[in-house]
Structure formats: C-alpha cells, structure tokens
Amino acid sequence: GALLALNKPPRLPVLGRPGELSLDALLPALRRRLGLAAELHVVKAPAREYSGLVLLSSCYHTTKKLQQFFTNARCKGQYPATYRAITVGVPAEVEGEISTGLCWQQQGDRAMVVPVPAPGRRSLARKDVKSTLTRYRVLSATGGCALLQLQPRTAFPEQLQVHLTLLLCPALGDHEHSARVGRVLGVPFLLSLEAAPTRTQVLDEELLSRLGLSPRQLHHLPLHIHLQELVLP
C-alpha cells in the first residue's frame, strides 16, 4: 500500500546540511524511479551513524498514525524497534536491562551525550535529563566479541552507544564513546569523561587482523549498530 521499506547504509543522515547527501534529498528521485504520484515521507529511520530499516510512506495520514503508534508503544512499555549490534567485549550476563539518565553536556567546543546514573526529580521534571532504558540479549559470542539484540524503550540520541559503553562492551566502530572503556590485565572498567577524550576506537592486533584492517584504516570502520526490525500495528 502506502508503505515502502529500505535498508540504509551507515553514515547516511536522514536530514543533511545544504549540499550534503541525505535520505531526505534522495526521496524525490526515489519517487520518480518508482513512478509514485504522491510525495514520500520518512516514518521511521535509524540515526545517521546506524544502518538498517527505513520506513517510508506516500500517505501523510499513514505517516502520522504510525509515528504516533511508535511513540505510544514506548510510553506503554513496549519495544517497537529491535536493533542488532556487534560489540567489542562480551556482557557478563546473557540478558538484562541498561537504565540510566542521559543528557547533553558541553565538553570543550563540542556537546556530548553523557550518562547521569542517579538523576534528581527536578532535573527530570525540567527535562534537563531523560531517564532511558534498553533491553539487551546476547545472541552469539566469539573471539572476545558479541552479537547483541537491543530493544530501546526510550528514544535519545546516541542512547545505544552510551548504554553499550556502560555495559563495558562498546559497539564495534564507536569512535565517540568507546574510549571510556579501559582495560587492566584484560579486565574492562569505566573511565571518567575527563580521562577519556574522544578518539578513534582502539582494537587489539588479533581483532584488526580478523577484520583485515590496519590501525590507519580504523577511523573508516563504521558503527556496527543496525535497525533490524520494526513492529507495525
């Protein structure tokens, strides 16, 4: 009917800056290619750095109805979106939940999403901090890496990356938050923001070899978080 599903590559933004390649900028060409009479709207799409399902609609009312459904489902404690991630490190527990407050914080000349472990009522009421929750399950593990299923019950920028970092298992290709996970004698621990400036993710030689990458190529490694499934009413 009115719905169209695509698979988005990582690093393609939904809304780009002027002159930048983006999903939104491609919609008119896609409409012409498919011979559609009506404009296409983005119903649901993964963030710029993520890959995975993009849901488009050629009906304005369908778009609004589905967007409201996704919002209501989260409010009811449901999990309408399921992601997959490859992590560097294997969680201690096979499944569980990651819950923390998240907020934007200025770090030098850039804003970063940071965890707030015990947010106060006032900060939550003022919406300075948002309470977030992600359910995870380990699907497979080998060679010090894991394939995880992730189901966020809340929506906040970079929520999945931060939650995986708090799990001490940052996503493969996370060059934003992975520096916060340090290791002593192979045991991971969480570093403070001040002690862990943003940098290209560091991987051991064995994993680099398995990926067929040199240290110089690491900054090209995309974030391995993929929107795999959406529930529709």
Side-chain angles (χ1 to χ4, degrees):
L3 296 179
L4 176 68
L6 303 176
N7 185 23
K8 183 182 88 67
R11 294 177 175 164
L12 177 68
V14 177
L15 296 172
R17 292 179 283 271
E20 182 183 33
L21 182 67
S22 68
L23 180 63
D24 189 64
L26 292 169
L27 291 183
L30 180 62
R31 174 190 169 188
R32 289 193 297 272
R33 176 79 64 89
L34 297 175
L36 299 176
E39 287 186 15
L40 286 167
H41 310 279
V42 178
V43 180
K44 181 82 172 171
R48 172 195 288 258
E49 296 298 326
Y50 298 177
S51 61
L53 266 172
V54 171
L55 193 62
L56 304 174
S57 167
S58 59
C59 170
Y60 177 80
H61 296 293
T62 300
T63 301
K64 290 303 173 186
K65 182 180 177 182
L66 285 173
Q67 287 175 340
Q68 191 61 54
F69 164 76
F70 289 126
T71 300
N72 292 343
R74 286 195 302 267
C75 291
K76 292 174 183 175
Q78 297 168 353
Y79 299 85
T82 299
Y83 292 77
R84 294 253 173 125
I86 295 177
T87 61
V88 181
V90 181
E93 302 291 334
V94 174
E95 59 184 298
E97 291 184 341
I98 312 144
S99 178
T100 187
L102 291 179
C103 74
W104 287 98
Q105 189 179 101
Q106 199 69 26
Q107 294 285 322
D109 60 349
R110 60 200 299 264
M112 284 191 67
V113 178
V114 299
V116 183
R121 289 183 180 179
R122 289 185 179 179
S123 61
L124 290 171
R126 291 196 305 265
K127 297 186 178 179
D128 297 333
V129 179
K130 181 170 180 176
S131 184
T132 62
L133 186 146
T134 301
R135 186 165 66 184
Y136 77 89
R137 184 159 64 92
V138 179
L139 301 176
S140 179
T142 183
C145 293
L147 175 65
L148 266 60
Q149 175 180 286
L150 302 172
Q151 292 180 304
R153 208 179 83 184
T154 50
F156 197 90
E158 301 175 25
Q159 173 178 322
L160 297 180
Q161 294 109 291
V162 176
H163 282 187
L164 290 172
T165 300
L166 294 176
L167 204 58
L168 302 178
C169 299
L172 184 64
D174 184 354
H175 308 300
E176 188 78 18
H177 302 278
S178 61
R180 289 204 62 197
V181 180
R183 288 183 181 273
V184 174
L185 300 176
V187 179
F189 67 97
L190 199 65
L191 290 160
S192 66
L193 284 168
E194 294 74 21
T198 299
R199 65 180 182 189
T200 300
Q201 189 174 35
V202 176
L203 302 178
D204 62 39
E205 290 183 9
E206 182 183 349
L207 184 52
L208 277 174
S209 175
R210 292 172 66 193
L211 290 168
L213 295 173
S214 70
R216 289 184 179 181
Q217 294 172 313
L218 254 179
H219 68 280
H220 292 300
L221 187 68
L223 182 67
H224 282 55
I225 297 180
H226 181 83
L227 176 53
Q228 189 213 11
E229 183 178 277
L230 290 171
V231 174
L232 298 181

